[in-house]
Amino acid sequence: MDSVRLLTIVLFLVYIAVGATAPMLSLYLESLGASYARISAILTTYAVVLLVANYLWGRASDRMGRRKPLVVGGLLGMGISFGLLAMAPGYRFAWGVRVLEATAMAAYTTTSLAFMGDLLATSASRGRRIGSYRGFGSLSFAVGAFGAKPIIDHLGMRQVYALGALLFLSAGLVALIIREATSEPSARAEPAEEAPAEGARLPMAFLAGVLLWMCAFWAAYSMWPNFLFSLGYPKSTANWLWGLAAISEVPFMNLVGILSDGLGRAPVLAMGGVGLGLVLLGYVALSRWLIALAGVQVFRGFAYSAFTATSMVYAAESGTARTRAGSVGIYNGVIGLGQILGLAIGGQVVERAGFQALFLVSTGIFVLSGLTFWTLRWRPTARLAEMPRR
């Protein structure tokens, strides 16, 4: 089996674990004795560590000239972290483990995407293949989210984290058999290749668009379940609507990959920005009708895919073989920064002006991100360094 398929299997296992545990994280921390303020602090600590670690692991991978050791190490580290969380005696212990978890997750996420960029460097269909790759992640997230319910109901939340540990360890074992063509960094350092090709580095317009998009997304969606509950919908409504969006992402991730190969990255990224703005307007205008909200969620699947898959492709095809992981680390770091900013402002806007004001402000930020991405049309296309075929 080739390395791209093996990395896809790894992603599938990872997202099952994440889908099973992420929706219940705050509830689990509360069961360990954490107050709401402590839960917020634990989540913020994780995001800050993830932001820094993404950049550092990316630089480390480029200096080593290797991806596989950090992918395997990150997965095994996540397995250990989830095992410890399953046995956590209290929230303070879990807080420390979350630092280890963020460090390990950054090692996996940054180097695995750079690895995909290496493997597909000479492929003319990078957008489609990375879109399909990420689409499997959406499918497995939904599998994990829906499949965890009977485990939580009958066995408890700790057992879900124990299952997550087994999934991460299994993913690490699969990653061990991935083949990586390697060469020593010193052997690559030929004078003609010291600098990346013109246009290959991540442009500031792209990073600014990512920051704006992530800030708007987390500001709006951190409060979205509360918005639905305030309208009288049951607490479970947010879960199944989110699951509906995740399921719809499976075909859309592949579709937007094809579109980005045909139309270019910038127009599809712009669709992702403007599209999410339209989604938030749909929440405001159609909030009385659950069936209409379901339709909005399907469209959300397209808009989310347009940004997520295409930004992954853009980051993975930037830089050279010796700088790609660093570029991906910066990309993931900006995602983390946008998450932190969004989480910080979402609740504040709702408290002062209400949910509709939050969605309108976030819509404006999403549209601004789309316009920022559109400016990338006037940049030269990044040229990828030739990579040995695996």
Side-chain angles (χ1 to χ4, degrees):
M1 188 177 293
D2 67 28
S3 296
V4 172
R5 288 189 176 90
L6 289 171
L7 273 175
T8 303
I9 293 172
V10 168
L11 182 82
F12 191 84
L13 294 171
V14 166
Y15 269 75
I16 291 177
V18 173
T21 56
M24 69 171 205
L25 175 61
S26 60
L27 293 175
Y28 185 59
L29 293 174
E30 185 178 9
S31 74
L32 294 176
S35 64
Y36 292 134
R38 296 294 187 189
I39 292 172
S40 178
I42 293 170
L43 297 179
T44 302
T45 300
Y46 179 90
V48 171
V49 174
L50 194 67
L51 186 156
V52 176
N54 275 319
Y55 175 75
L56 295 179
W57 284 128
R59 292 292 301 272
S61 177
D62 285 337
R63 291 194 176 192
M64 291 169 58
R66 301 288 306 279
R67 312 296 188 213
K68 179 177 173 178
L70 295 181
V71 170
V72 174
L75 291 168
L76 297 180
M78 287 296 295
I80 293 170
S81 299
F82 271 49
L84 292 173
L85 284 172
M87 300 182 292
Y91 77 87
R92 289 185 177 86
F93 182 88
W95 200 337
V97 173
R98 289 279 289 171
V99 173
L100 172 62
E101 180 191 340
T103 306
M105 180 60 87
Y108 165 71
T109 55
T110 292
T111 52
S112 63
L113 182 54
F115 204 165
M116 285 293 292
D118 294 345
L119 294 168
L120 299 176
T122 58
S123 172
S125 57
R126 287 186 298 274
R128 178 183 62 80
R129 298 194 70 178
I130 291 181
S132 297
Y133 167 75
R134 182 55 181 81
F136 275 103
S138 294
L139 174 62
S140 58
F141 185 95
V143 170
F146 290 130
K149 186 179 185 302
I151 299 176
I152 295 170
D153 292 342
H154 295 95
L155 299 176
M157 290 185 286
R158 289 184 184 272
Q159 282 66 30
V160 177
Y161 278 97
L163 174 62
L166 291 175
L167 288 167
F168 276 113
L169 293 175
S170 299
L173 293 176
V174 173
L176 280 172
I177 64 177
I178 297 174
R179 291 177 298 157
E180 179 180 23
T182 61
S183 60
E184 293 299 322
S186 58
R188 296 193 203 177
E190 300 173 6
E193 296 184 354
E194 281 298 318
E198 181 183 355
R201 294 185 183 277
L202 289 175
M204 288 303 299
F206 172 73
L207 296 176
V210 170
L211 179 67
L212 289 168
W213 197 98
M214 292 302 299
C215 180
F217 181 85
W218 284 103
Y221 280 94
S222 63
M223 294 288 104
W224 184 61
N226 306 75
F227 167 69
L228 293 175
F229 185 67
S230 73
L231 296 174
Y233 291 113
K235 291 181 179 179
S236 59
T237 302
N239 290 54
W240 77 262
L241 282 176
W242 201 301
L244 176 62
I247 291 296
S248 71
E249 290 164 18
V250 177
F252 284 141
M253 289 287 181
N254 187 58
L255 173 62
V256 300
I258 295 171
L259 288 175
S260 72
D261 284 337
L263 300 177
R265 313 300 186 217
V268 181
L269 284 168
M271 291 179 196
V274 176
L276 253 296
L278 293 175
V279 167
L280 295 187
L281 292 179
Y283 291 157
V284 173
L286 304 173
S287 59
R288 295 181 181 181
W289 302 282
L290 187 57
I291 187 65
L293 288 178
V296 172
Q297 282 300 91
V298 173
F299 181 72
R300 174 201 179 277
F302 170 77
Y304 181 86
S305 300
F307 167 78
T308 302
T310 312
S311 65
M312 287 175 65
V313 175
Y314 200 99
E317 66 186 5
S318 297
T320 67
R322 296 195 314 278
T323 64
R324 184 168 294 115
S327 294
V328 173
I330 292 171
Y331 160 73
N332 284 332
V334 171
I335 284 177
L337 180 59
Q339 178 182 359
I340 293 169
L341 292 174
L343 290 172
I345 68 175
Q348 297 296 325
V349 174
V350 170
E351 190 168 318
R352 288 167 171 75
F355 290 108
Q356 291 194 4
L358 172 64
F359 291 155
L360 291 175
V361 169
S362 297
T363 294
I365 299 174
F366 273 128
V367 172
L368 181 59
S369 76
L371 295 175
T372 304
F373 287 134
W374 186 257
T375 66
L376 295 171
R377 286 175 56 86
W378 292 282
R379 289 189 58 86
T381 302
R383 298 196 304 271
L384 284 160
E386 287 291 318
M387 296 292 297
R389 294 185 183 274
R390 278 98 171 153

